[in-house]
Amino acid sequence: MEDVIIIGGGVCGCSLLYELSRTKGKFLLIEKENDIACGTTKANSAIVHAGYDPEPDTAMARFNVEGNRLIEQLCSDLDVLYKKTGSLVVGFDSEDRKRIEQLFENGKKNGVPGLRIIESKELFNLEPNLNREAVCALYAPSAGIIAPWELASAQAECAVLGGARVELDCEVRSIKKNGNGFTVTTSKGDYEGLFVINAAGVNSDLVSAMIEQKRWSITPKSGEYFILDTTESGLVNTVVFPCPSKLGKGVLIAPTIHGNIIVGPDSKDFKRDDFSTTSAGLEYVKKNAIRYVPSINFRASIRNFSGLRADAGLKDFIVGESEEIPGFFNIAGIKSPGLTSAPSIAKEIARQLHKRGLSGESNPDFKTKRKIKRFKYMSAKEKYEAIKENPLYGTIVCRCETITEGEIADTMARPLPPRSLDALKRRCSAGMGRCQSGFCGPRALSLISKYLNIKLENIPKDRNGMYIITGETKGGVQ
Ligand SMILES: Cc1cc2nc3c(=O)[nH]c(=O)nc-3n(C[C@H](O)[C@H](O)[C@H](O)COP(=O)(O)OP(=O)(O)OC[C@H]3O[C@@H](n4cnc5c(N)ncnc54)[C@H](O)[C@@H]3O)c2cc1C
C-alpha cells in the first residue's frame, strides 16, 4: 500500500513528489506517457510570472507570488536553468495606462516585490527594440525565465533518489474507494494508496470523474509559438507582454533560457491531446508581436509548437481535498501561472496531507541539492578538468548547444533516464538548438540505444509510436 499516489507527471505532480519526499513514506507517481514533463509542462511560455495578473485574494495569487520566490531557491538548489529577467506590460495609449495601473494595484495587493510603472525613456533603455509609440509599462523585476521541464525532472530525480517511485507508460483507467484508501487501476495493473492526488493536467476532469460527481470540466485552450534562432538573441532582454485582454496575457516576446527568442501564444479551444500548430494561429502570433517589436525576424524561426491550457472556466485553481471523497485531492484547472505556482501548490497539498495524518518524520535519504555539469557554460580551465576526468566530455554530440557525450552519459546514469529523442533534449538540451536534432539526432539515438540497451527502432522521437527508424536497410543500422 502506498501512502500517496500522484496521477500525472507534469510540474505539479513532480513538485508534489519532491515536497512529499522530504518526509518518510511510500510515494508513487503514475504517468501515462513514456516520460515525465511531456504534457503542458513541456509546451508553454516558460515564464516565472511575478504575480500581478491573478485577482487579489485568490489562491492563484498566493501560489503565484510564493511560487515565484520558491522557484529561485529551487533552481539554485537543483541546478535548473533559470534567470531573473524582469517583465514588462507595455502600454500605447490612455486605455492601456488605465489597465497597467489596475495591474499595478493588483500586484501591490498580491505582494509582488519591486513592481513599478515606468515611462518611455526608462522603457526604451531597457528595451531599445520596442515600438517607439509605446508610452509606459508595468515593470516587474521579479519575473524570470526557466526550463520548465527541467524544474519537473530535477524534482522527480531527487524524489526517486530519496525513495519515491515513478511509473511511466502507466495510464490511470479507474479509481475506486477501498476501505481506508483507494485502488487505482492502470494499464499496468492495480495500485493501492491511502491518498490519491489528481494532477492530470488537461485530463484532470476525466480523472476526477472516475471517482467524484462531475462538477467542472476542462476546455483545453491551445497556444502556439515561434522559437527564433539564437542569432536573434538580444532582441528583447525582459519578458515583453502587451496589455492583457479577456483572452489572457496576450502574445509575449521573451528571451528563452537557451538564448533563443520565444514569441506567442494565441488562445483558442482545441482538442485534448492535439498539439498541432495552425497557419491561422501562427499568423495571429506574428501580427500581434510585430506591433510591439517591429524588427522581429520571423525568418529566423527554428521551431513552432503548441501547448494546451487546462482551462476549467473558473477564476481560481482547484487545489485541495475533495469534499465528496475524503482522501482524494485535486490539483486541477492549472492554467497559467501554473508553472510558477507548482512549488507553492505542492507545499499546500503536502501541508494538507500531513494534517490528514501523513507522517512528518524527515527522510534521511532525501537530498535537496543537485549539481549538473554543463560543458557549454564552463571556463576553459573547467573544460580541461572535465575532459581530463572523463574523456567523453571531449566529444561534442550536439554542436548547436555544445552538448558532450559526457553530459549524455551522466544524464543516462541519473534516475528516470530519457527513452526518446525529445526526452533527451529536455534532460540535457541535446537537440535544443538551430538544427533541432537534424545533425545530432542519429548520434543521440545511438547513444540512448547504447546506454539503455534498447534497439534503435524502439526509440521514438517523443511519444510512443513516433518512431524515427523503422528497421534495417543494407545490412544493418549501427
Ligand atoms: C500556452 C501556454 C502557456 C503557458 N505559459 C506559462 C508561463 O509562462 N508561466 C506559467 O507559470 N505557466 C504557464 N502556463 C501554465 C503551465 O504550463 C501549466 O499550468 C503547468 O505546466 C501545468 O502542469 P501540470 O502538472 O498541472 O500539467 P501537465 O504538465 O499537463 O501534466 C499532467 C500530466 O498528467 C498526465 N496524465 C493525464 N492523464 C493521465 C492518466 N489518465 N493517467 C496517468 N497520467 C495522466 C499527462 O500525460 C501529463 O504528463 C502555460 C500554459 C500554456 C498551455
Side-chain angles (χ1 to χ4, degrees), residues 117-132:
I117 296 176
I118 60 173
E119 302 301 322
S120 54
K121 189 164 172 233
E122 188 175 356
L123 177 58
F124 296 132
N125 273 341
L126 281 171
E127 294 296 354
N129 292 319
L130 264 189
N131 184 338
R132 294 281 143 169

Side-chain angles (χ1 to χ4, degrees), residues 372-389:
I372 301 293
K373 277 190 188 166
R374 301 183 203 264
F375 191 77
K376 181 176 171 175
Y377 302 115
M378 290 177 187
S379 65
K381 185 162 178 286
E382 287 166 340
K383 284 180 177 161
Y384 173 79
E385 293 298 335
I387 295 168
K388 206 163 87 175
E389 194 186 316

Side-chain angles (χ1 to χ4, degrees), residues 266-298:
D266 64 336
S267 178
K268 59 190 169 305
D269 291 0
F270 231 55
K271 289 184 291 234
R272 259 179 236 275
D273 253 23
D274 187 344
F275 295 96
S276 50
T277 52
T278 61
S279 50
L282 294 173
E283 265 318 305
Y284 175 91
V285 169
K286 264 188 186 173
K287 204 176 94 201
N288 281 275
I290 278 172
R291 186 165 168 240
Y292 289 81
V293 180
S295 59
I296 297 184
N297 174 16
F298 281 102

Side-chain angles (χ1 to χ4, degrees), residues 8 12 31-32 40-41 44-45 47 172 203 225 334 338-340:
C12 289
E31 167 55 51
K32 74 178 167 66
T40 303
T41 297
N44 54 66
S45 307
I47 309 303
V172 172
N203 287 353
Y225 293 89
I334 310 294
L339 164 63
T340 314

